[in-house]
mmCIF file of all heavy atoms in Angstrom:
data_model
loop_
_atom_site.group_PDB
_atom_site.id
_atom_site.type_symbol
_atom_site.label_atom_id
_atom_site.label_comp_id
_atom_site.label_asym_id
_atom_site.label_seq_id
_atom_site.Cartn_x
_atom_site.Cartn_y
_atom_site.Cartn_z
ATOM 1 N N LYS J 36 -43.636 38.607 -45.136
ATOM 2 C CA LYS J 36 -43.037 37.286 -45.347
ATOM 3 C C LYS J 36 -44.054 36.191 -45.005
ATOM 4 O O LYS J 36 -44.546 36.154 -43.877
ATOM 5 C CB LYS J 36 -41.820 37.082 -44.424
ATOM 6 C CG LYS J 36 -40.880 38.269 -44.304
ATOM 7 C CD LYS J 36 -39.879 38.066 -43.160
ATOM 8 C CE LYS J 36 -39.118 39.329 -42.816
ATOM 9 N NZ LYS J 36 -39.933 40.347 -42.131
ATOM 10 N N ASP J 37 -44.372 35.352 -45.968
ATOM 11 C CA ASP J 37 -45.245 34.187 -45.721
ATOM 12 C C ASP J 37 -46.512 34.541 -44.966
ATOM 13 O O ASP J 37 -46.810 33.980 -43.917
ATOM 14 C CB ASP J 37 -44.474 33.101 -44.947
ATOM 15 C CG ASP J 37 -43.404 32.474 -45.814
ATOM 16 O OD1 ASP J 37 -43.601 32.454 -47.046
ATOM 17 O OD2 ASP J 37 -42.378 32.039 -45.280
ATOM 18 N N LEU J 38 -47.263 35.469 -45.519
ATOM 19 C CA LEU J 38 -48.470 35.933 -44.853
ATOM 20 C C LEU J 38 -49.668 35.127 -45.351
ATOM 21 O O LEU J 38 -49.787 34.866 -46.544
ATOM 22 C CB LEU J 38 -48.644 37.416 -45.183
ATOM 23 C CG LEU J 38 -49.641 38.182 -44.347
ATOM 24 C CD1 LEU J 38 -49.024 39.503 -43.931
ATOM 25 C CD2 LEU J 38 -50.892 38.460 -45.142
ATOM 26 N N ASN J 39 -50.551 34.725 -44.438
ATOM 27 C CA ASN J 39 -51.725 33.915 -44.795
ATOM 28 C C ASN J 39 -52.984 34.477 -44.139
ATOM 29 O O ASN J 39 -52.993 34.705 -42.933
ATOM 30 C CB ASN J 39 -51.543 32.465 -44.327
ATOM 31 C CG ASN J 39 -50.397 31.777 -45.026
ATOM 32 O OD1 ASN J 39 -50.533 31.292 -46.138
ATOM 33 N ND2 ASN J 39 -49.234 31.766 -44.383
ATOM 34 N N ILE J 40 -54.022 34.699 -44.945
ATOM 35 C CA ILE J 40 -55.340 35.025 -44.394
ATOM 36 C C ILE J 40 -56.393 34.408 -45.303
ATOM 37 O O ILE J 40 -56.137 34.116 -46.469
ATOM 38 C CB ILE J 40 -55.621 36.550 -44.283
ATOM 39 C CG1 ILE J 40 -55.605 37.211 -45.667
ATOM 40 C CG2 ILE J 40 -54.704 37.250 -43.311
ATOM 41 C CD1 ILE J 40 -56.407 38.476 -45.769
ATOM 42 N N SER J 226 -57.186 39.045 -37.328
ATOM 43 C CA SER J 226 -55.837 38.565 -37.643
ATOM 44 C C SER J 226 -54.839 39.566 -37.081
ATOM 45 O O SER J 226 -54.950 40.762 -37.355
ATOM 46 C CB SER J 226 -55.628 38.459 -39.161
ATOM 47 O OG SER J 226 -56.106 37.237 -39.642
ATOM 48 N N VAL J 227 -53.891 39.060 -36.323
ATOM 49 C CA VAL J 227 -52.881 39.931 -35.726
ATOM 50 C C VAL J 227 -51.611 39.832 -36.564
ATOM 51 O O VAL J 227 -51.084 38.732 -36.785
ATOM 52 C CB VAL J 227 -52.590 39.515 -34.262
ATOM 53 C CG1 VAL J 227 -51.536 40.435 -33.645
ATOM 54 C CG2 VAL J 227 -53.872 39.554 -33.427
ATOM 55 N N PHE J 228 -51.155 40.986 -37.070
ATOM 56 C CA PHE J 228 -49.935 41.058 -37.885
ATOM 57 C C PHE J 228 -48.795 41.598 -37.027
ATOM 58 O O PHE J 228 -48.983 42.521 -36.249
ATOM 59 C CB PHE J 228 -50.121 42.012 -39.064
ATOM 60 C CG PHE J 228 -50.847 41.427 -40.245
ATOM 61 C CD1 PHE J 228 -51.664 40.335 -40.104
ATOM 62 C CD2 PHE J 228 -50.730 41.995 -41.500
ATOM 63 C CE1 PHE J 228 -52.342 39.802 -41.189
ATOM 64 C CE2 PHE J 228 -51.404 41.487 -42.597
ATOM 65 C CZ PHE J 228 -52.205 40.381 -42.432
ATOM 66 N N LYS J 229 -47.633 41.023 -37.246
ATOM 67 C CA LYS J 229 -46.431 41.566 -36.614
ATOM 68 C C LYS J 229 -45.256 41.290 -37.533
ATOM 69 O O LYS J 229 -45.075 40.156 -37.993
ATOM 70 C CB LYS J 229 -46.206 40.904 -35.251
ATOM 71 C CG LYS J 229 -45.091 41.588 -34.463
ATOM 72 C CD LYS J 229 -44.836 40.886 -33.146
ATOM 73 C CE LYS J 229 -43.728 41.598 -32.401
ATOM 74 N NZ LYS J 229 -42.953 40.681 -31.591
ATOM 75 N N GLY J 231 -44.728 41.772 -40.607
ATOM 76 C CA GLY J 231 -45.033 41.209 -41.923
ATOM 77 C C GLY J 231 -45.524 39.782 -41.926
ATOM 78 O O GLY J 231 -45.589 39.143 -42.973
ATOM 79 N N LYS J 232 -45.904 39.266 -40.756
ATOM 80 C CA LYS J 232 -46.426 37.893 -40.681
ATOM 81 C C LYS J 232 -47.753 37.881 -39.940
ATOM 82 O O LYS J 232 -48.003 38.724 -39.087
ATOM 83 C CB LYS J 232 -45.445 36.988 -39.936
ATOM 84 C CG LYS J 232 -44.174 36.701 -40.694
ATOM 85 C CD LYS J 232 -43.293 35.741 -39.915
ATOM 86 C CE LYS J 232 -42.008 35.449 -40.701
ATOM 87 N NZ LYS J 232 -41.071 34.643 -39.949
ATOM 88 N N THR J 233 -48.593 36.894 -40.285
ATOM 89 C CA THR J 233 -49.808 36.664 -39.510
ATOM 90 C C THR J 233 -49.399 35.832 -38.304
ATOM 91 O O THR J 233 -49.019 34.670 -38.459
ATOM 92 C CB THR J 233 -50.835 35.834 -40.326
ATOM 93 O OG1 THR J 233 -50.797 36.249 -41.681
ATOM 94 C CG2 THR J 233 -52.231 35.954 -39.774
ATOM 95 N N ILE J 234 -49.468 36.405 -37.113
ATOM 96 C CA ILE J 234 -49.029 35.606 -35.963
ATOM 97 C C ILE J 234 -50.186 34.858 -35.305
ATOM 98 O O ILE J 234 -49.977 33.868 -34.613
ATOM 99 C CB ILE J 234 -48.252 36.439 -34.918
ATOM 100 C CG1 ILE J 234 -49.099 37.579 -34.383
ATOM 101 C CG2 ILE J 234 -46.949 36.965 -35.500
ATOM 102 C CD1 ILE J 234 -48.488 38.248 -33.173
ATOM 103 N N GLU J 235 -51.417 35.327 -35.577
ATOM 104 C CA GLU J 235 -52.570 34.625 -35.014
ATOM 105 C C GLU J 235 -53.841 35.159 -35.641
ATOM 106 O O GLU J 235 -53.962 36.353 -35.914
ATOM 107 C CB GLU J 235 -52.624 34.839 -33.490
ATOM 108 C CG GLU J 235 -53.792 34.157 -32.821
ATOM 109 C CD GLU J 235 -53.607 33.993 -31.310
ATOM 110 O OE1 GLU J 235 -52.626 34.507 -30.739
ATOM 111 O OE2 GLU J 235 -54.456 33.328 -30.717
ATOM 112 N N THR J 236 -54.805 34.265 -35.904
ATOM 113 C CA THR J 236 -56.158 34.673 -36.292
ATOM 114 C C THR J 236 -57.113 34.020 -35.314
ATOM 115 O O THR J 236 -57.079 32.802 -35.129
ATOM 116 C CB THR J 236 -56.492 34.246 -37.736
ATOM 117 O OG1 THR J 236 -55.564 34.866 -38.645
ATOM 118 C CG2 THR J 236 -57.892 34.681 -38.114
#
Side-chain angles (χ1 to χ4, degrees):
K36 317 168 192 72
D37 291 332
L38 194 135
N39 296 278
I40 62 155
S226 275
V227 180
F228 279 22
K229 189 183 180 212
K232 290 183 180 174
T233 322
I234 59 169
E235 180 162 6
T236 299

